[in-house]
Amino acid sequence: MEKEKLIEMLNRDIGDEHAAIVRYMTHSYLEGEDTSIGASLLSRAREEMWHMHWLGMIIGKLGGEPDMTPAPYPHDPTNRATIFQSYIDYEKKLVPHYQKEAELVDDSHIRRVLLREAWESEYHALKFKKILNKLSPEEAKGLPGEENELSDNLVEMIQNSVVTKYQQMLQTIRDAWVFQSNGEPAWQRMDFSMTKMKQLAHSAEEIAENGLTPRLTASRIIVTGSLAEAMSNGVEDVRKTMDIHERLASDSEAQEHGGLMTNLDLTLRQEKYETDELRDRLSKE
Ligand SMILES: [Fe+2]
Ligand SMILES: [Fe+2]
């Protein structure tokens, strides 16, 4: 298979994996991570993260630009039963899809990755089927999500943190894939993207705990071939969320939420660490 065609194919797959992460994660937070349904969904989301990551590494290694826009995740949102049935259908469809793709590829690593994505999708369908079968009649008819107790203003501030951090996290992981041949500084991009995932989870959970859908909408990714430029953009990016988080930390309504304050405090310290590390690295270039 011609390289350009291969990158195109893998970029369609990465969009599907990305869609699955967003769907299972959002659903997990709406259920609550500490519920058995929520924990199971989060576990699937993590496995989809591996899937996305393997594809991203391959695309980066091939010299391609990973497409960081999630594809749509078709599902029937009527109730839990229809939602889980949609998940089963989605995963089942991926099995022959990845198997067919694997046949088109010569490279043994890429073929193995595609085949693994096929058989792991099969397990995902099985696990969702198990959840569906175990739902009580009330659960099956119902939908996840609690009532919102936050003001519109606070929701908007937290959503702003969600959408901005999500964009940063995607940018940083894109950089890690694209600059993988640079070694350690690219590993650090990966490291930062993982911290950002955690920070994003804090604010996304806060939104979903209030029955609202976290604003996980991808925005523009900066396509640069320069690692130094990517790092200095990274400093700018972190400044943006530090501003958002400082404003949130001084908001009187937000201050009534102890858990939110602790996470904000932690996030701000991590953001300062990241900025210091990047500045230091850039000054030594
Ligand atoms: Fe997957
Ligand atoms: Fe899956």
Side-chain angles (χ1 to χ4, degrees), residues 16-17 20-21 24 44-45 47-48 51 73 87 90-92 94 98 117-118 120-125 128:
D16 290 337
E17 295 300 326
I21 298 168
Y24 303 155
R44 295 298 78 71
E47 287 160 356
E48 306 299 6
H51 292 180
Y73 189 113
Y87 296 173
Y90 185 87
E91 296 287 348
K92 272 192 176 161
L94 285 178
Y98 279 124
E117 305 221 0
E120 290 198 347
S121 300
E122 206 159 4
Y123 280 93
H124 289 176
F128 287 137

Side-chain angles (χ1 to χ4, degrees), residues 79-90 92 128-129 132:
N79 55 44
R80 272 196 193 83
T82 63
I83 292 173
F84 277 104
Q85 188 56 55
S86 305
Y87 296 173
I88 296 164
D89 298 342
Y90 185 87
K92 272 192 176 161
F128 287 137
K129 181 95 193 144
L132 180 63

